[in-house]
Amino acid sequence: MIRKMKDVMIDIETVGTQPYSAIVSIGAVFFDPFTGETGRTFYDVISLDSCIKHGLVMDPSTIQWWIKQDKEAAKVFFGFKRNLPDVMTSFTEFLTAEGITKKSVKPWGNGASFDITLLECAYKVVGQEHPWEFWNVRDVRTVVAMGEGISDAKNTIPRAGTYHNALDDSVHQVKYVSEIMRVLREGKEVNPGM
C-alpha cells in the first residue's frame, strides 16, 4: 500500500519580508520527511499589480535586493503572471487534491513566521480560507537547528536548480530536511567537543 504524502514543502518569493508583503511566486512539493521521496509539485507566478490591488505591499529594500540577483531568478518578474485570487485558489486545489484535507496537510516553511504567514495574509486579502490548520505548520529552520552538531546537510548537500526559484528552493529544502531527519532518527550521538 502506498502511503499518501501529507507533508508539503513550500517556498515563496516576495518583494518584502513582513506580513502582507506581495508574493511573486509560490513553489511547493509533497514529500516524505523521513525518506526524502517527493510527489506532486506546484509552481505559479503572481502579478504584482494584482497583489497591490488586493492590498499587499512592496518593500524598496527587497526590490533593491532583487535587482542584484541572478538573471535566471529574476525571470519571475517577466512573462505570463496570474491574478492573486486565481493562484490562491489553484494552490488550495493542489494542497487538497487526492483526498488531502485541511486537517491532514502539513505545510513546511523556511522560517516559522515567513512563508506560511505571508501565504495566510494573501489568503485573507482575497477572502479565502487558508487550507491548513495552524497546529500542522512545520518549520525548516527548527529542524536545521535540531541537527546542529549532528548534520550539516543544509550546507553540504549539492544544490540543483536556480537559487530563489520557489520550486527549486522547495526541492532543495526537502533534501536537507529529510537528511537531517534521517540522522536524527538514527540517534547518532552529538560529539560533546563540538
Side-chain angles (χ1 to χ4, degrees):
M1 183 176 104
I2 298 175
R3 188 173 67 85
K4 192 181 301 183
M5 291 181 188
K6 296 177 183 174
D7 291 85
V8 59
M9 185 66 72
I10 301 169
D11 187 75
I12 60 174
E13 296 303 328
T14 69
V15 288
T17 58
Q18 301 300 314
Y20 294 99
S21 291
I23 299 170
V24 294
S25 64
I26 304 172
V29 57
F30 275 95
F31 74 110
D32 182 321
F34 301 108
T35 67
E37 178 186 356
T38 57
R40 295 180 294 118
T41 63
F42 178 92
Y43 181 75
D44 216 334
V45 180
I46 304 167
S47 158
L48 278 177
D49 287 343
S50 179
C51 287
I52 301 306
K53 175 184 169 188
H54 285 88
L56 299 180
V57 298
M58 295 190 290
D59 173 50
S61 63
T62 306
I63 300 291
Q64 290 174 343
W65 177 87
W66 270 109
I67 291 169
K68 299 173 186 172
Q69 298 312 301
D70 182 81
K71 288 179 184 177
E72 194 64 31
K75 282 184 179 179
V76 73
F77 294 102
F78 306 100
F80 181 76
K81 295 173 254 339
R82 294 182 28 180
N83 289 325
L84 180 64
D86 296 338
V87 173
M88 301 317 292
T89 298
S90 295
F91 193 49
T92 296
E93 290 168 354
F94 164 75
L95 292 174
T96 58
E98 299 182 6
I100 303 292
T101 66
K102 177 178 180 168
K103 288 189 175 184
S104 65
V105 69
K106 297 174 183 170
W108 288 71
N110 195 9
S113 62
F114 190 72
D115 301 87
I116 306 305
T117 299
L118 270 66
L119 284 169
E120 289 175 353
C121 293
Y123 275 113
K124 186 173 183 179
V125 300
V126 298
Q128 298 178 28
E129 186 177 329
H130 57 80
W132 53 76
E133 297 290 359
F134 71 89
W135 60 76
N136 275 336
V137 173
R138 307 293 197 252
D139 179 22
V140 170
R141 290 182 182 156
T142 300
V143 172
V144 171
M146 289 170 57
E148 285 179 9
I150 301 171
S151 172
D152 191 27
K154 179 179 178 184
N155 298 311
T156 58
I157 288 184
R159 170 66 194 231
T162 302
Y163 285 89
H164 308 301
N165 171 287
L167 182 56
D168 291 347
D169 286 353
S170 293
V171 170
H172 184 64
Q173 287 164 196
V174 163
K175 290 177 184 176
Y176 66 79
V177 163
S178 59
E179 174 59 16
I180 294 168
M181 296 285 279
R182 182 193 66 76
V183 170
L184 290 171
R185 284 186 88 183
E186 288 178 0
K188 290 186 177 179
E189 291 184 24
V190 179
N191 180 347
M194 290 185 83

